């Protein structure tokens, strides 16, 4: 019997659509409340430095209205640290951020920035936030995340998903193998293991089947799929696939 697998629904791209027209809709908070009702165990939102999707006001509204935990994704900047310390979300996930990227492209370089990151996350952990570090499935980065005192590592599934989408199946299988080994390794160090980025109905099950993985954070695909089948059924289908893989 494996532990249950939580689904964190990332609502960033509801805000992307809203911001495309500078309107007040669609409202990410409304999506988050629907996601809660549809069975999401948490909501994830990334407040980027350039505010291209989620806004400061969205974070405030989510903190006020959510009944499930908020996983606040942020870059390791003093501005974001101050915002996190003001709101004290359930979890903060530290991600790398480059202005010119379309999305979070790789994992955080923890090993080379150990001291800096250890000092950066200490006040967040002291404030009661569960600190998660978004990293590649790489033993060096996992060991460094452990040394700096992170509670959680989120393993980047983007390379696995890209290889699948582009039909590079040998590479996909090698990535999957690496993710599997590294989730076991991280768990053996006492880290809680999460995973996410680029997951779809086609790619979620092999990751959901890893017994050490406790949470998946999924956004872009779910919001896209919601256009065709509605947000609630889109989330429910992801939940069903995760539960099926887990059993
Ligand atoms: N996890 C992290 C740390 C992320 O940065 C993102 C993207 O914001 C996701 C999960 C979700 O990725 P996607 O939107 O591709 O499902």
């Amino acid at each position: 019997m494996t532990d249950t697998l939580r689904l964190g629904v990332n609502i960033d791209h509801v805000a992307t659509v809203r911001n495309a027209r500078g309107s007040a809709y669609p409202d990410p908070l409304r999506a988050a409340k629907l996601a809660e009702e549809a069975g999401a165990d948490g909501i994830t939102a990334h407040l980027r430095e350039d505010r291209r999707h989620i806004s400061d006001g969205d974070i405030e509204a989510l903190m006020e209205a959510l009944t499930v935990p908020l996983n606040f994704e942020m870059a390791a900047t003093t501005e974001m640290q101050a915002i996190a310390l003001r709101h004290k979300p359930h979890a903060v996930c530290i991600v790398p951020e480059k202005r010119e990227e379309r999305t979070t492209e790789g994992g955080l370089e923890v090993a080379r920035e150990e001291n800096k990151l250890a000092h950066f996350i200490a006040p967040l952990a002291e404030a009661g936030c569960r600190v998660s570090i978004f990293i590649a499935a790489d033993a060096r980065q996992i060991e460094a995340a452990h040394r700096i005192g992170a509670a959680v590592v989120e393993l980047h599934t983007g390379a696995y998903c890209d290889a699948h989408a582009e039909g590079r199946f040998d590479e996909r299988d090698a990535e999957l193998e690496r993710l599997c080994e590294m989730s076991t390794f991280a768990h053996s160090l006492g880290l809680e293991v999460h995973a996410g980025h680029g997951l779809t109905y086609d790619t979620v099950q092999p990751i959901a089947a890893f017994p050490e993985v406790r949470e998946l954070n999924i956004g872009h695909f779910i919001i896209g799929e919601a256009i065709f089948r509605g947000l609630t059924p889109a989330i429910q289908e992801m939940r069903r696939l995760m539960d099926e893989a887990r059993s």
Side-chain angles (χ1 to χ4, degrees):
M1 177 70 195
T2 51
D3 292 319
T4 54
L5 178 62
R6 294 191 299 266
L7 170 60
V9 173
N10 181 316
I11 48 141
D12 291 350
H13 296 300
V14 177
T16 304
V17 175
R18 175 193 62 192
N19 295 1
R21 292 289 291 271
S23 55
Y25 62 85
D27 180 8
L29 177 62
R30 185 173 167 202
K33 296 300 288 177
L34 257 185
E36 276 185 349
E37 285 166 26
D41 302 290
I43 298 296
T44 293
H46 182 178
L47 184 65
R48 292 187 71 102
E49 190 190 2
D50 61 9
R51 308 301 197 270
R52 73 171 68 153
H53 37 57
I54 293 295
S55 68
D56 298 68
D58 292 329
I59 296 296
E60 214 163 297
L62 290 166
M63 281 302 299
E64 245 169 58
L66 286 184
T67 56
V68 295
L70 176 67
N71 176 33
F72 177 63
E73 277 185 25
M74 54 178 258
T77 65
T78 49
E79 184 202 11
M80 289 301 150
Q81 189 190 49
I83 293 169
L85 289 173
R86 192 161 71 245
H87 291 299
K88 299 188 179 56
H90 166 80
V92 292
C93 181
I94 314 296
V95 302
E97 202 175 294
K98 291 191 224 106
R99 253 176 199 275
E100 63 279 12
E101 70 190 354
R102 265 188 297 179
T103 179
T104 315
E105 278 166 2
L108 196 69
E109 174 51 62
V110 193
R112 275 205 305 265
E113 304 276 345
E114 235 177 277
N115 270 344
K116 207 170 119 198
L117 281 168
H119 283 105
F120 184 81
I121 67 170
L124 296 166
E126 275 159 29
C129 302
R130 250 176 113 59
V131 177
S132 168
I133 310 282
F134 188 47
I135 50 175
D138 176 324
R140 233 177 96 247
Q141 303 297 345
I142 292 169
E143 282 165 346
H146 176 58
R147 279 195 298 272
I148 66 170
V152 180
V153 285
E154 179 163 333
L155 301 181
H156 198 309
T157 52
Y160 153 69
C161 293
D162 287 348
H164 176 83
E166 290 159 20
R168 293 179 278 113
F169 296 131
D170 288 349
E171 275 176 57
R172 173 198 63 189
D173 295 347
E175 275 299 326
L176 201 55
E177 180 77 26
R178 193 201 330 265
L179 284 160
C180 183
E181 278 171 21
M182 290 300 112
S183 59
T184 306
F185 177 58
H187 183 259
S188 76
L189 296 179
L191 289 158
E192 184 171 310
V193 184
H194 299 176
H197 209 282
L199 291 170
T200 67
Y201 293 155
D202 286 341
T203 50
V204 73
Q205 288 201 309
I207 304 287
F210 298 163
E212 296 88 358
V213 174
R214 297 297 311 277
E215 179 174 309
L216 299 181
N217 286 303
I218 310 178
H220 187 247
F221 177 81
I222 287 177
I223 302 305
E225 189 64 15
I227 294 169
F228 304 105
R229 54 169 102 196
L231 186 58
T232 300
I235 292 170
Q236 285 169 340
E237 176 61 3
M238 192 59 85
R239 178 82 262 173
R240 188 191 69 73
L241 289 166
M242 286 164 57
D243 291 344
E244 185 180 84
R246 206 66 169 182
S247 63

